[in-house]
Amino acid sequence: MSSPDIEVAILGAGPYGLSLAAHLAGSGLAVRVFGMPMQFWSQHMPSGTSLKSEGFASNLYDPDAQFTLEAYCSEQKLAYAHIGLPVKIEVFIAYALEFQRRYVPDVAKTSVTRLTPCAGGYSLTTEAGETLRARSVVVATGIMNFAQVPTQLARLPEGFATHTSNHNDFRRFKDQRVAVLGAGASALDAAALLQQAGAHTEVFARRAKIAFHSPPKLRRSWLERIKAPRSGLGTGWRSRFCTDIPLVFHALPEKLRFRAVERHLGPAPCWFVRDAVEGRLPLHLNCTLAEARVVGGKVRLEFDQAGEPRRRVVEVDHVIAGTGYKVALSRLSFIDPTLQARIRKSADTPVLDANFESTAPGLFFIGGAAANSFGPMLRFAFGAKFAAKRVSRRLRAA
Ligand SMILES: Cc1cc2nc3c(=O)[nH]c(=O)nc-3n(C[C@H](O)[C@H](O)[C@H](O)COP(=O)(O)OP(=O)(O)OC[C@H]3O[C@@H](n4cnc5c(N)ncnc54)[C@H](O)[C@@H]3O)c2cc1C
């Protein structure tokens, strides 16, 4: 049996893949990174928004934690604050691409279309037509494959309904009537930007209330700090537990872990979006989508409303699902069925050991796909430090 072409293939060039690659630089291992650098952030999130995470929690990680967002902003003479100054998405993307140029200059800007087990590791085929073998593979493909669209919308003819991840720019909706479904950050960000772009926008949410985050308090008393310590995921002991002891989280019973990931840090919109939507566009609460049809070139939406005997009916030019993402490994179509069968899963998410390794030896998952194992921190760039340290140590020792 000949040895694999490379030791490590990293699939994904977002904050997780790039941080891991930076940690493996100089290890002597032959590593290749595949994917479009910061693709999700530049193509599948709307431009003109700001990050939910504070400045100090919006980094990519080199092993010495040298090139932080703060360092980049200082070099570029851009405004920066650890907390309280929202990070513009364009600034974060430019910083991450600079990180990539400095620490991971050789990204193969192509996607992996097929991943299969082979002797001594894994065989990868890329969209560019290359095939190679790697001893270990780290899947860092983020959440872009996991967009959730309600079945009523998925059945509509093409062009009438989309997901927030399909949009980076909302200007094409100027003067159109657009319904946005959802009560989380994606939905409310999209609604605010649609309104600014001149679309007649309405939001429909199942919830009784939109749970906007509160603005961070810059000065806090010692009592406030003890009661709700700050962490990279916001304030409070639960968040602090998630950021500081992810290995303890990993050791919790599965039921507890899954419940924590589902309930903690739900899809709340940011405080600075509140002013852009409240009082500026209709927010219809307690509305559950019951039916969607195209009638006379418009989308006719019918909503069941809590406490109302009759459905609310609206007609719009377009409907955008701001209904979030749900990790489902079976949707990663590049993973060959024979390999899918070797990965032990729970609720269609990978069961991972304390080093992020799945039950397929040498196959690792980092980022959102690892949240059920290590907690909600893994859904945010902040978790990339822990993941990069842990996986790089394991790969160096292999
Ligand atoms: C509306 C919204 C707001 C958010 N706000 C924040 C925030 O403020 N702060 C924060 O920390 N997080 C935020 N997040 C979460 C954010 O998406 C993650 O923190 C971050 O993107 C995770 O990084 P990643 O490296 O895992 O994946 P991503 O950044 O999604 O990168 C995925 C990479 O995988 C590559 N790829 C995909 N498929 C393949 C393939 N088959 N082969 C090879 N490469 C592939 C892509 O090209 C890309 O390079 C937000 C998410 C949403 C939806």
Side-chain angles (χ1 to χ4, degrees):
M1 179 196 75
S2 61
S3 57
D5 305 306
I6 56 172
E7 266 108 19
V8 183
I10 299 173
L11 314 194
Y16 278 79
L18 294 174
S19 298
L20 174 61
H23 274 69
L24 287 171
S27 63
L29 296 171
V31 179
R32 284 191 67 189
V33 182
F34 299 87
M36 297 306 292
M38 295 302 283
Q39 181 184 21
F40 183 72
W41 295 81
S42 54
Q43 292 177 14
H44 301 283
M45 285 207 222
S47 52
T49 44
S50 294
L51 268 60
K52 282 208 294 181
S53 48
E54 297 288 352
F56 82 94
S58 303
N59 293 301
L60 276 69
Y61 298 93
D62 57 277
D64 303 320
Q66 286 272 314
F67 192 51
T68 57
L69 177 65
E70 183 183 19
Y72 173 78
C73 289
S74 155
E75 279 179 21
Q76 299 293 320
K77 304 199 174 8
L78 297 170
Y80 171 87
H82 285 324
I83 53 166
L85 180 67
V87 179
K88 290 197 171 70
I89 193 165
E90 284 74 19
V91 170
F92 183 66
I93 294 169
Y95 153 66
L97 292 177
E98 184 54 32
F99 181 100
Q100 181 256 309
R101 276 190 285 274
R102 292 187 192 189
Y103 293 92
V104 198
D106 291 327
V107 174
K109 292 177 183 150
T110 180
S111 58
V112 169
T113 51
R114 191 150 181 260
L115 180 65
T116 56
C118 69
Y122 296 92
S123 169
L124 294 83
T125 306
T126 70
E127 202 173 17
E130 188 186 3
T131 299
L132 78 165
R133 289 177 308 149
R135 193 179 65 201
S136 301
V137 172
V138 183
V139 178
T141 50
I143 53 170
M144 55 196 274
N145 295 286
F146 303 135
Q148 287 203 101
V149 175
T151 48
Q152 296 93 333
L153 300 189
R155 287 196 292 255
L156 291 180
E158 215 182 307
F160 289 95
T162 46
H163 186 265
T164 45
S165 63
N166 299 123
H167 303 284
N168 166 252
D169 183 340
F170 291 96
R171 281 176 297 185
R172 77 171 169 99
F173 292 110
K174 185 173 187 307
D175 298 328
Q176 292 194 27
R177 200 164 169 209
V178 183
V180 178
L181 308 191
S186 316
L188 274 293
D189 278 357
L193 291 164
L194 279 160
Q195 187 76 355
Q196 280 166 24
H200 305 288
T201 313
E202 295 181 57
V203 173
F204 296 86
R206 281 183 304 193
R207 293 170 181 225
K209 189 169 177 251
I210 298 200
F212 289 97
H213 278 298
S214 308
K217 222 172 152 184
L218 300 183
R219 284 178 177 279
R220 300 193 317 144
S221 70
W222 64 268
L223 191 62
E224 283 174 315
R225 280 180 275 155
I226 287 175
K227 276 171 134 174
R230 204 179 291 290
S231 80
L233 304 180
T235 52
W237 280 105
R238 272 191 211 168
S239 294
R240 194 62 189 259
F241 171 78
C242 293
T243 57
D244 289 16
I245 41 176
L247 287 177
V248 175
F249 189 96
H250 182 265
L252 293 174
E254 180 181 283
K255 211 171 148 186
L256 270 181
R257 280 187 280 115
F258 281 35
R259 201 191 307 154
V261 172
E262 200 181 308
R263 295 190 186 168
H264 190 49
L265 304 171
C270 225
W271 55 273
F272 46 78
V273 178
R274 189 173 204 148
D275 289 346
V277 292
E278 269 191 352
R280 290 180 186 251
L281 53 91
L283 299 173
H284 305 286
L285 304 173
N286 294 310
C287 287
T288 303
L289 181 66
E291 225 178 293
R293 272 178 293 151
V294 173
V295 181
K298 304 270 181 211
V299 191
R300 188 184 160 94
L301 300 169
E302 295 186 19
F303 294 94
D304 287 326
Q305 301 179 95
E308 296 286 333
R310 292 175 53 174
R311 281 182 174 173
R312 178 188 283 267
V313 180
V314 288
E315 282 194 352
V316 293
D317 297 299
H318 194 86
V319 53
I320 298 180
T323 39
Y325 301 80
K326 188 172 195 314
V327 175
L329 228 53
S330 52
R331 292 182 69 186
L332 291 183
S333 54
F334 64 86
I335 303 182
D336 184 83
T338 51
L339 182 52
Q340 286 271 4
R342 290 186 193 182
I343 306 167
R344 200 173 136 219
K345 298 171 196 163
S346 191
D348 212 2
T349 65
V351 173
L352 302 175
D353 75 5
N355 290 313
F356 290 82
E357 192 168 5
S358 71
T359 49
L363 181 65
F364 299 75
F365 290 86
I366 56 176
N372 276 346
S373 296
F374 295 95
M377 176 171 75
L378 276 292
R379 297 202 306 245
F380 298 89
F382 192 69
K385 182 178 183 180
F386 169 71
K389 273 200 189 319
R390 195 104 196 129
V391 177
S392 61
R393 199 179 301 150
R394 165 70 180 78
L395 290 170
R396 280 167 190 262

